[in-house]
């Protein structure tokens, strides 16, 4: 945050980074006078603290840093990657019943996309995975209408401009093509909004199915839609060798 010393974050964000509550809930706790920092009541949500060093109390009870937990979910189609939905659609957070555990989704998969989605209370992990500089690969199986030609593949490999953004896959393989539809494997590293759908739309191919099957060294495998498994810290380190813990 601008004007804040290195290592310091606003109090409301510190509570979120520690996996205690969302920033919205944390902000309200601070405003309600429920939070002490190093024995002093603080009612300013933007009060600067170092999360790992500050002694924080909620209603006179010391706060212990929540253990880092990360889950690999097979997100089904028809489920949204938000905490709540104005249309009443099911959300990914309803699929992992962990009371008191403030999870965040690592990136998003849109309503019609299925596959591997990570949910964690480790904000440092989430920030690292979604930072374009980390260049973590994400692999998708894609089905589009019509026959994708070698000319179209080369255009994708060179990159396309859409709404001022250059869309370019890290890798793309045509697995099968017919006049009716084509099947491809696409790998991305930046994860721009609806990137794959926009790529093929620019070539007049509608994406009919999109499924993420790998994220870094993690694979979806035979996990059933709507189910999940918890990942160990060892597994995360192996899947993302560049991750600094």
């Amino acid at each position: 945050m601008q004007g804040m010393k290195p290592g310091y974050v606003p109090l409301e964000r510190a509570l979120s980074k520690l996996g205690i509550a969302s920033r919205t809930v944390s902000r309200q706790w601070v405003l309600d006078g429920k939070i002490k920092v190093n024995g002093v009541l603080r009612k300013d949500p933007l009060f600067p603290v170092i999360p790992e060093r500050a002694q924080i109390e909620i209603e006179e009870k010391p706060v212990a840093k929540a253990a880092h937990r990360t889950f690999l979910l097979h997100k089904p189609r028809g489920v949204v990657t938000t905490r709540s939905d104005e249309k009443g659609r099911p959300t990914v957070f309803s699929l992992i019943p962990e009371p008191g555990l403030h999870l965040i989704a690592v990136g998003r998969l849109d309503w019609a996309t299925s596959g591997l989605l990570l949910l964690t209370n480790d904000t440092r992990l989430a920030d690292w995975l979604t930072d374009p500089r980390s260049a973590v690969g994400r692999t998708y199986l894609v089905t589009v209408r019509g026959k994708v030609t070698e000319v179209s593949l080369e255009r994708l490999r060179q990159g396309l401009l859409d709404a001022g953004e250059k869309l370019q896959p890290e890798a793309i393989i045509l697995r099968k093509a017919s006049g009716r539809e084509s099947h491809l494997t696409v790998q991305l590293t930046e994860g721009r909004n609806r990137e794959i759908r926009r790529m093929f739309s620019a070539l007049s191919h509608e994406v009919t199915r999109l499924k993420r099957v790998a994220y870094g060294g993690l694979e979806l495998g035979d996990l059933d839609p709507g189910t999940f498994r918890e990942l160990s810290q060892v597994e995360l380190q192996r899947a993302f060798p560049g991750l600094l813990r």
Side-chain angles (χ1 to χ4, degrees), residues 20-39:
I20 296 166
S22 68
R23 289 187 69 168
T24 300
V25 171
S26 299
R27 181 180 182 83
Q28 194 58 54
W29 284 350
V30 177
L31 293 172
D32 290 344
K34 295 182 178 181
I35 306 298
K36 283 186 178 181
V37 179
N38 298 328

Side-chain angles (χ1 to χ4, degrees), residues 130-150:
T130 54
D131 188 336
R133 293 172 297 182
S134 301
V136 179
R138 305 159 174 104
T139 305
Y140 300 79
L141 300 182
V142 188
T143 303
V144 303
R145 295 191 192 282
K147 185 174 183 178
V148 175
T149 65
E150 286 298 326

Side-chain angles (χ1 to χ4, degrees), residues 5-7 9 15 17 19 25 32 47 49 52 81-82 96 106 113 127 152 154 174 181 205 207 234 236 240-241:
K5 294 179 182 179
V9 299
L15 291 165
K17 286 177 71 68
V25 171
D32 290 344
F47 178 76
V49 300
E52 296 79 12
T81 316
T82 54
I96 301 184
V106 180
T113 301
D127 290 344
S152 293
E154 189 56 31
L174 179 63
E181 65 181 20
H205 291 288
V207 173
V234 171
L236 285 169
F240 307 111

